[in-house]
Amino acid sequence: MRLDPGAADLDFRQKARTWLAGNVPHAPAPPDGQASRAYALDWLAKLHAGGWSGLAWPEAYGGKGLTPGRLLTWYEEYVRARAPSTLDCTFVALNHAGPTLIACGTEDQKAFHLPRILEGRSIWCQGFSEPGAGSDLASLKTTGRVDGCDLVINGQKIWSSFADIADYQELLIRTEPGSKRHKGLSWVICDMSLPGITVRPIRNMAGVSHFAEVFYDDVRIPLTQVVGGLHDGWTTAMTTLGFERRTAAMALQLELSVRIEDLIARAAPAPGSAMADRLADLRAEAAAIRAMSYRTALREPATPFDGSVVRLAFAELAQRIHRAAMDVLGPDALTDGQWVHEYLESYSETIAGGTAEIQRNIIAERMLGLPREPRA
Ligand SMILES: Cc1cc2nc3c(=O)[nH]c(=O)nc-3n(C[C@H](O)[C@H](O)[C@H](O)COP(=O)(O)OP(=O)(O)OC[C@H]3O[C@@H](n4cnc5c(N)ncnc54)[C@H](O)[C@@H]3O)c2cc1C
């Protein structure tokens, strides 16, 4: 693994820094709803016009084909410039729907959707989880019955982030009647404006509606919208989750270093105090996550489970940093909307994208080769 940058790397970093300095929006992102959609799409269109969208996508599909090392440099500059969070409503499309289409979609699907995603013209959401199928995704029950050239969808999804403002959904359903577990599923592109779809936003404890329940009542989706083969949706879904758990969260991991520096500046702890020790530990942990992000991105060949290690470490550290922030701010936290908002949101870090317990299971069983937990 080589970390010393050459002249071309330094030039790339300077170009990124200069562009970001002149283009990062000054107004904060609206928390949710149509205003957040307009803000995110405007920002993505600006990135695209500047030549900075789809950096990880292959050039053949309109991307820039950057190496993981260059991508890290971009995200370092991105968080340094305090650009809008990458975990906005464009996240699904750019980081896993688009890459899944590139890996498993038909040429028609790619030609229609990929330019719309890159240019900031469409929002995607993910419809995998159901009330009885979260960690155990293979127990999902929403059905898609083949009827002529269509699938007829019935059932319910939950926790679908940005479903209320999305144009399309990565929808995972059971299409083979009587099939069990991961067999007989299909991954389909669901147009969120189709008749029979009802979206009910859920407000979280931070007071924002980032996710929603989605109900499907005889929703007809053409079979041409299946991605990766009818009844073979598990393979496609694993491709999606692979993208979601690997480099997609790079910016968020790097952002922790910025947040801890903000907190240290705000706390100005007396040298040698207990708070100084605590913040120093958190700073060291953020540096370790950053090192892990580098290792995950640059290691050749990549191992499929590195993403789980970084994801777990990141999620738990994010919670510790925000708990420390509440202790630093004390009663002032009540008037500091941003830190309180992030503190409340940080509770979801060990649930979203696979819970901390599930990441530990993956690490234990698949990386360390420990005995598998009993399966029902
Ligand atoms: C902010 C946020 C955004 C989300 N966005 C989306 C989205 O866009 N699309 C989508 O489809 N889903 C989304 N989700 C849902 C997320 O994927 C699920 O919440 C997650 O997979 C856990 O599933 P569950 O909530 O059903 O909990 P459960 O699976 O019911 O788990 C409940 C508890 O049991 C534990 N547990 C379960 N199984 C095991 C096991 N085998 N070993 C040890 N412990 C276990 C879990 O760790 C957890 O603590 C989102 C969730 C959050 C918080």
Side-chain angles (χ1 to χ4, degrees):
M1 191 168 85
R2 183 176 153 270
L3 286 180
D4 53 318
D9 299 316
L10 293 171
D11 183 52
F12 174 82
R13 184 181 288 280
Q14 192 53 47
K15 281 202 176 84
R17 188 172 293 187
T18 306
W19 188 86
L20 286 161
N23 289 282
V24 166
H26 298 300
D32 55 12
Q34 289 299 333
S36 70
R37 174 187 161 103
Y39 181 99
L41 288 180
D42 274 359
W43 172 231
L44 181 51
K46 205 168 173 183
L47 285 165
H48 181 70
W52 299 102
S53 80
L55 299 183
W57 289 23
E59 288 176 277
Y61 294 109
K64 299 285 177 255
L66 290 194
T67 60
R70 281 280 164 87
L71 208 53
L72 270 168
T73 302
W74 164 254
Y75 283 132
E76 282 191 338
E77 291 304 319
Y78 193 93
V79 300
R80 183 179 175 279
R82 293 168 195 272
S85 169
T86 54
L87 195 58
D88 65 6
C89 57
T90 63
F91 184 89
V92 170
L94 285 170
N95 292 289
H96 46 95
T100 302
L101 293 181
I102 290 171
C104 311
T106 64
E107 290 310 314
D108 281 352
Q109 290 165 350
K110 293 177 198 175
F112 182 84
H113 287 288
L114 299 180
R116 281 175 170 74
I117 292 174
L118 284 183
E119 292 162 18
R121 289 191 283 131
S122 67
I123 299 289
W124 281 65
C125 61
Q126 183 184 61
F128 281 15
S129 304
E130 297 183 4
S135 303
D136 186 16
L137 184 57
S139 61
L140 67 85
K141 291 196 167 56
T142 297
T143 55
R145 176 173 51 82
V146 179
D147 183 29
C149 296
D150 293 337
L151 284 167
V152 182
I153 318 291
N154 282 285
Q156 181 196 348
K157 295 290 172 177
I158 195 167
W159 316 124
S160 184
S161 299
F162 311 112
D164 57 329
I165 52 172
D167 303 292
Y168 300 99
Q169 186 180 50
E170 313 170 326
L171 178 58
L172 192 62
I173 46 171
R174 190 163 295 287
T175 45
E176 194 168 20
S179 62
K180 295 253 178 321
R181 307 293 301 160
H182 51 278
K183 300 228 164 49
L185 304 176
S186 296
W187 193 114
V188 287
I189 302 168
C190 175
D191 178 338
M192 294 299 282
S193 65
L194 286 172
I197 295 180
T198 305
V199 179
R200 202 182 289 163
I202 302 169
R203 187 172 291 272
N204 70 15
M205 69 177 174
V208 296
S209 301
H210 274 166
F211 39 38
E213 291 177 289
V214 185
F215 300 87
Y216 311 80
D217 186 8
D218 284 338
V219 177
R220 296 190 82 89
I221 300 183
L223 281 164
T224 52
Q225 300 306 309
V226 172
V227 176
L230 188 67
H231 309 323
D232 196 20
W234 190 254
T235 308
T236 314
M238 289 305 106
T239 303
T240 307
L241 293 180
F243 288 121
E244 194 175 346
R245 286 179 185 161
R246 272 206 89 220
T247 49
M250 235 180 225
L252 306 173
Q253 291 147 18
L254 298 173
E255 205 174 0
L256 277 190
S257 297
V258 174
R259 297 307 279 148
I260 185 66
E261 294 311 320
D262 286 350
L263 187 58
I264 290 170
R266 175 82 182 247
S273 64
M275 183 52 81
D277 285 354
R278 186 172 169 196
L279 293 174
D281 281 349
L282 293 172
R283 178 191 263 168
E285 285 189 72
I289 300 260
R290 189 177 170 147
M292 274 200 271
S293 298
Y294 267 91
R295 193 188 61 168
T296 305
L298 303 182
R299 184 146 71 179
E300 291 293 345
T303 78
F305 311 117
D306 282 347
S308 289
V309 176
V310 186
R311 178 79 190 89
L312 177 63
F314 161 81
E316 296 188 342
L317 176 59
Q319 291 178 344
R320 281 197 293 279
I321 288 179
H322 288 98
R323 265 200 301 274
M326 292 303 100
D327 292 341
V328 163
L329 296 174
D332 288 350
L334 294 173
T335 53
D336 190 316
Q338 187 60 23
W339 276 109
V340 171
H341 177 82
E342 288 180 12
Y343 167 70
L344 294 173
E345 291 275 3
S346 74
Y347 280 88
S348 70
E349 292 294 356
T350 46
I351 303 172
T355 68
E357 290 77 15
I358 295 302
Q359 305 295 358
R360 284 194 163 82
N361 281 353
I362 292 171
I363 295 164
E365 296 174 9
R366 298 193 219 162
M367 264 182 99
L368 303 177
L370 296 175
R372 291 174 72 89
E373 67 169 324
R375 296 285 195 270

